[in-house]
Amino acid sequence: LGLPSAMGCAGSKVSPQDVIEAERARAEALRTKNAAEAAQLQSQLAGLDAALEASKRESDQLKTAIAGLDKARAASDVASGEVKVLRGKRDELTRLEKALAEAEATKEELDR
């Protein structure tokens, strides 16, 4: 008949109403369990959403920091090039000062 095995007790019969009530109770227990699981999953989803947002903010901060480092590197490269130019000018100035000193020494010898 498809009735639960509770009918098996000697001489006791389970009424269809008892079966219906038992099924209703089982269905309500499943609904309660499913609602609790759904609430837990919603909570986990909210936590994951918050973690994703935090990760996006951190990613944006890192991108900003990297852009700043790239600008600093470019400025450093420019400064390095300027230092090389200035060293070249200093070396040229040193050669000119040496040549001038030699020219003055030669002029003094000629003036004598």
Side-chain angles (χ1 to χ4, degrees), residues 16-96:
Q17 187 63 32
D18 290 340
V19 172
I20 292 169
E21 289 301 320
E23 285 300 314
R24 281 187 183 148
R26 188 176 75 79
E28 185 58 34
L30 281 174
R31 276 194 287 278
T32 301
K33 178 184 171 200
N34 287 345
E37 288 176 355
Q40 182 182 10
L41 290 173
Q42 287 288 4
S43 176
Q44 289 174 350
L45 181 59
L48 290 173
D49 282 343
L52 178 61
E53 286 303 314
S55 178
K56 286 179 182 177
R57 284 191 301 273
E58 184 176 343
S59 176
D60 290 344
Q61 290 172 348
L62 288 173
K63 287 177 185 175
T64 300
I66 289 169
L69 289 173
D70 287 344
K71 286 181 184 177
R73 183 181 307 126
S76 174
D77 290 347
V78 168
S80 177
E82 290 174 354
V83 166
K84 288 178 183 176
V85 169
L86 290 174
R87 284 182 181 153
K89 289 182 179 184
R90 180 196 61 198
D91 293 346
E92 180 65 20
L93 180 60
T94 301
R95 283 191 293 276
L96 289 173

